[in-house]
Amino acid sequence: MGHLSVLHLLANPAVTEMLNRTMESGITRTDAHKLVAESPTDTLVAAAGRIRDSTRPGAVTYSRKVFINLINLCRDTCTYCTYKKEPGEPMLSMLEPTQVLALAEAGKKYRCTEALFVTGERPEQKYGQARAWLSSLGHSSTVEYICEMSELVIEKTGLLPHTNAGSLTKKEMIILKDTNVSLGAMLETSSERLMGKGMPHEDAPSKNPKVRIKTLESAGELGIPMTTGLLVGIGETPEELVDSLFVIKKLHEKYGNIQEVIMQNFAPKPQTGMAQFPQPSLEYFLRAVAMTRIIMPNMNVQVPPNLNPDIFGRYIDAGINDWGGISPVTIDHVNPEFPWPSIESVQKVTEGRGRRLRARLPVYPEFLKGGFITSGRLLQQISLIADNSGLVRDDYIND
């Protein structure tokens, strides 16, 4: 990657030499630790931006989606989460098929292409109410119901399902592969230290890094395009952050199926165990985003704009090439405190940084080749809304 020779223009000669040397053959974990410890933020950001300009020179993308909050009971308890609800709470969501279809049809009206199915982690294992609800719908597991609703959405609206239901077994992913163009499971962190007493994942067994890594490995073995990423600022050290990025990097090097890495900054929320925990500084998060691009030069790197209102344009400079899902229909049920900016405002910010904004599918263009999508009906629907580059046709959005 000789494009990094331009780094001689940057201010810190020692760091510049390290970046030039390591990027020629791929950065080592040791050098990544040195960079995150020693490099000025401006240098990291500039390097990441130049790498992205070389490896991902096209448009900055987003996925136009409808958020289907299928069931938000969850067997886990994370101390930063407001998504999980308990039986009897007013914001408890347990959607019937008619409600799911109504949301998908509203999404189609607004030219969405993604039906994002989100659930709590295996709610039927903890809650009798969830088991009874699933049984009334003819199912014994949440995954079975997701599969049925994915079928319904494809058949009735043509929206493409993407499911984020936490950790999944290989058998469960096989069930979902025929109706979902991609799946998602956030690694969040590879640090088992954060499972300890008083730590964010103490009461969240599915957030054990071994469990999440196993899910990502199983998806790799099945050739399923996978979204993952980190939750930055929940108590990890900069060294643990780098180590977590290398876990994702090595998984992708082995299986080739990680389609994007989401870098999400922690934001304290009222009435949670971490309500008083300080959020990561802008500088720390900028460094984390830049390191993601430096460690994984060719990866699709995403920062959600709603978690960074007023400043999200800065992450283009730090090497991202995607904004993730933005819905003109539904709220962000995981982060309801942070409304999505309008697509028009995201376009204005993106163009102000010299990039074009394009809508993508919930599966990235490079994964439309190589046998990642094997379902004939999914391929047929993709062909109706994608252009030759694999992005959403402009006339489909603007029709």
Side-chain angles (χ1 to χ4, degrees):
M1 282 185 279
H3 60 276
L4 282 169
S5 61
V6 296
L7 292 176
H8 74 272
L9 300 173
L10 301 176
N12 187 316
V15 169
T16 298
E17 181 183 354
M18 187 188 304
L19 280 165
N20 276 316
R21 182 183 73 250
T22 58
M23 289 302 164
E24 291 296 333
S25 57
I27 192 168
T28 65
R29 188 189 302 252
T30 298
D31 277 350
H33 282 153
K34 288 181 181 177
L35 279 178
V36 83
E38 300 173 10
S39 176
T41 301
D42 288 350
T43 301
L44 287 183
V45 168
R50 286 173 167 84
I51 295 168
R52 189 274 326 283
D53 288 346
S54 175
T55 61
R56 294 282 174 180
V60 175
T61 52
Y62 76 101
S63 179
R64 203 175 181 99
K65 74 180 181 185
V66 59
F67 196 130
I68 300 174
N69 185 22
L70 203 62
I71 174 171
N72 54 8
L73 296 172
C74 182
R75 71 171 185 174
D76 286 352
T77 300
C78 301
T79 57
Y80 47 76
C81 178
T82 56
Y83 174 76
K84 174 183 178 174
K85 298 298 181 284
E86 295 292 341
E89 290 190 14
M91 297 304 291
L92 176 63
S93 180
M94 300 172 75
L95 298 182
E96 302 290 320
T98 53
Q99 295 171 299
V100 170
L101 185 56
L103 284 169
E105 287 174 337
K108 183 177 183 180
K109 180 180 177 182
Y110 283 89
R111 291 296 188 256
C112 296
T113 58
E114 174 182 357
L116 171 64
F117 285 94
V118 177
T119 74
E121 174 81 22
R122 303 180 189 280
E124 65 272 21
Q125 291 187 359
K126 183 174 182 179
Y127 296 97
Q129 182 176 350
R131 291 191 295 273
W133 173 69
L134 288 166
S135 179
S136 73
L137 295 165
H139 298 292
S140 60
S141 73
T142 302
V143 166
E144 288 179 6
Y145 186 44
I146 293 170
C147 184
E148 182 193 349
M149 291 301 93
S150 297
E151 296 256 13
L152 179 68
V153 165
I154 296 167
E155 178 186 351
K156 297 295 187 182
T157 71
L159 268 65
L160 299 169
H162 167 93
T163 291
N164 191 336
S167 59
L168 295 169
T169 66
K170 185 178 284 189
K171 183 177 179 181
E172 289 169 332
M173 284 187 272
I174 290 171
I175 291 172
L176 292 173
K177 185 175 182 181
D178 191 50
T179 57
N180 280 255
V181 294
S182 57
L183 300 175
M186 292 288 282
L187 174 61
E188 296 199 2
T189 179
S190 65
S191 173
E192 293 187 23
R193 184 179 62 83
L194 298 187
M195 299 285 300
K197 184 73 173 175
M199 300 302 279
H201 294 157
E202 177 185 359
D203 296 316
S206 91
K207 296 296 178 69
N208 187 313
K210 289 187 174 70
V211 174
R212 290 297 165 119
I213 291 168
K214 179 63 176 176
T215 293
L216 295 171
E217 287 176 335
S218 295
E221 290 165 0
L222 293 171
I224 296 173
M226 202 71 180
T227 289
T228 191
L230 304 184
L231 182 55
V232 178
I234 56 172
E236 80 286 343
T237 66
E239 293 76 18
E240 288 170 333
L241 176 76
V242 166
D243 289 343
S244 298
L245 290 170
F246 268 87
V247 168
I248 297 172
K249 175 184 172 72
K250 290 186 179 300
L251 284 166
H252 187 59
E253 287 174 345
K254 183 173 183 179
Y255 298 109
N257 73 310
I258 304 296
Q259 68 165 0
E260 65 179 335
V261 173
I262 303 172
M263 296 299 284
Q264 180 175 329
N265 48 302
F266 162 75
K269 300 176 182 181
Q271 300 178 333
T272 64
M274 293 178 70
Q276 303 304 315
F277 196 83
Q279 65 187 77
S281 68
L282 170 60
E283 182 177 19
Y284 178 74
F285 188 58
L286 269 174
R287 294 173 67 83
V289 173
M291 286 302 302
T292 306
R293 176 59 68 197
I294 292 168
I295 291 169
M296 290 177 273
N298 296 290
M299 182 57 65
N300 294 301
V301 180
Q302 175 201 134
V303 167
N306 61 315
L307 298 182
N308 300 273
D310 304 323
I311 61 167
F312 58 86
R314 296 192 63 177
Y315 300 106
I316 295 180
D317 300 337
I320 72 161
N321 66 300
D322 187 78
W323 296 122
I326 302 174
S327 180
V329 181
T330 50
I331 66 168
D332 181 349
H333 290 279
V334 175
N335 299 287
E337 305 88 352
F338 297 93
W340 275 301
S342 70
I343 293 169
E344 292 74 19
S345 68
V346 174
Q347 180 176 6
K348 183 177 180 181
V349 168
T350 303
E351 291 176 349
R353 299 280 172 162
R355 314 283 291 195
R356 187 180 176 199
L357 183 71
R358 288 290 308 276
R360 62 166 173 84
L361 304 173
V363 57
Y364 279 82
E366 56 265 40
F367 292 90
L368 298 179
K369 305 174 282 212
F372 286 97
I373 308 294
T374 56
S375 166
R377 60 185 160 174
L378 290 177
L379 289 169
Q380 180 181 15
Q381 184 56 34
I382 288 168
S383 71
L384 296 176
I385 54 181
D387 63 16
N388 290 335
S389 73
L391 297 174
V392 179
R393 295 195 334 259
D394 285 332
D395 64 327
Y396 181 84
I397 296 291
N398 298 320
D399 185 12

